[in-house]
Amino acid sequence: MLVNSLKTVCGRNINNNIRHYCSQYTSSISVGRLYSGDHPKRNPTSPSPDFSGVIPIKELKTTYSCSSGPGGQNVNKVATKVDIRFHVESASWLSEEVKSKLLEKCGSELTKDGWLVVKSDRTRSQTLNQADALEKLRATIRSATAPSKPKISAEEAEKIRKGKLKASRERLHFKRIRSSVKSERQGPSD
């Protein structure tokens, strides 16, 4: 009744409009909205100038499988676990320097054939797991390209150790003073 009255008021076919809008609808958690890999812009917050943070999804191999753990029928019916893999040596979107650092620092995480595999089954949503896996991959590449910490000399290590000892002595000294102040407040015990 309501639909018919709306058809007459609007003067057009509502069913076609609903189909039109539903076919163009994308969820707020769709991969296109969470991660737009189509526009390779340099990320200004990226710590490494070699890796911009943009990962082309078309060059990744993505597989979905059933997730493990509790979840009832959702676990048995829906393939929400995401495995993202790419071959490090043939990745055209990474510079040679980044590839060599990845092979050096993440060698134990690579397969025998040189594929880096990132898995995610954190949520019950396939799309959110895919976004999480992409973020894990981004973090792995950034950690591999991050400069290593400078080594501390023996003199500096000794200074640090002495400073920690002095700080703990001062803390215990102030703790004793505070304890005596509180015990003087209580008055004599019978």
Side-chain angles (χ1 to χ4, degrees):
M1 177 79 182
L2 179 64
V3 173
N4 290 333
S5 64
L6 283 174
K7 282 182 183 178
T8 58
V9 170
C10 296
R12 34 189 154 124
N13 193 349
I14 291 180
N15 293 336
N16 288 339
N17 288 338
I18 290 173
R19 275 192 215 113
H20 173 72
Y21 289 120
C22 289
S23 65
Q24 292 181 350
Y25 173 76
T26 56
S27 172
S28 63
I29 60 170
S30 67
V31 176
R33 289 189 183 201
L34 290 175
Y35 174 75
S36 58
D38 297 336
H39 308 291
K41 299 175 187 172
R42 186 162 291 280
N43 187 357
T45 60
S46 177
S48 171
D50 301 329
F51 177 63
S52 65
V54 175
I55 301 172
I57 297 176
K58 294 175 184 173
E59 295 192 25
L60 301 176
K61 185 176 180 183
T62 306
T63 56
Y64 305 99
S65 60
C66 291
S67 185
S68 62
Q73 290 296 320
N74 191 62
V75 171
N76 299 332
K77 292 184 176 182
V78 183
T80 57
K81 181 179 178 184
V82 177
D83 294 344
I84 292 180
R85 57 181 66 220
F86 78 97
H87 196 256
V88 176
E89 293 173 356
S90 64
S92 62
W93 47 279
L94 292 175
S95 67
E96 292 300 323
E97 184 180 338
V98 173
K99 288 180 193 178
S100 64
K101 287 180 181 179
L102 261 176
L103 291 171
E104 178 186 329
K105 293 186 179 179
C106 301
S108 61
E109 298 176 27
L110 298 175
T111 62
K112 292 178 184 176
D113 301 331
W115 290 81
L116 181 65
V117 181
V118 180
K119 301 177 182 184
S120 177
D121 60 351
R122 182 177 288 178
T123 68
R124 292 176 54 151
S125 167
Q126 188 183 71
T127 308
L128 289 177
N129 283 339
Q130 187 173 3
D132 182 51
L134 285 169
E135 193 54 43
K136 283 182 182 179
L137 178 59
R138 221 177 266 113
T140 301
I141 295 171
R142 284 186 178 137
S143 68
T145 58
S148 59
K149 293 182 180 179
K151 294 185 178 181
I152 298 173
S153 66
E155 295 173 357
E156 291 174 350
E158 185 65 22
K159 282 183 182 179
I160 292 170
R161 188 187 68 80
K162 285 182 179 179
K164 287 181 179 179
L165 281 173
K166 183 179 177 184
S168 65
R169 279 192 211 112
E170 286 179 5
R171 182 181 58 83
L172 291 174
H173 176 71
F174 287 122
K175 197 171 179 180
R176 279 191 213 103
I177 291 172
R178 189 73 185 147
S179 173
S180 66
V181 167
K182 288 186 175 186
S183 65
E184 288 174 1
R185 286 185 193 154
Q186 287 182 350
S189 60
D190 293 332

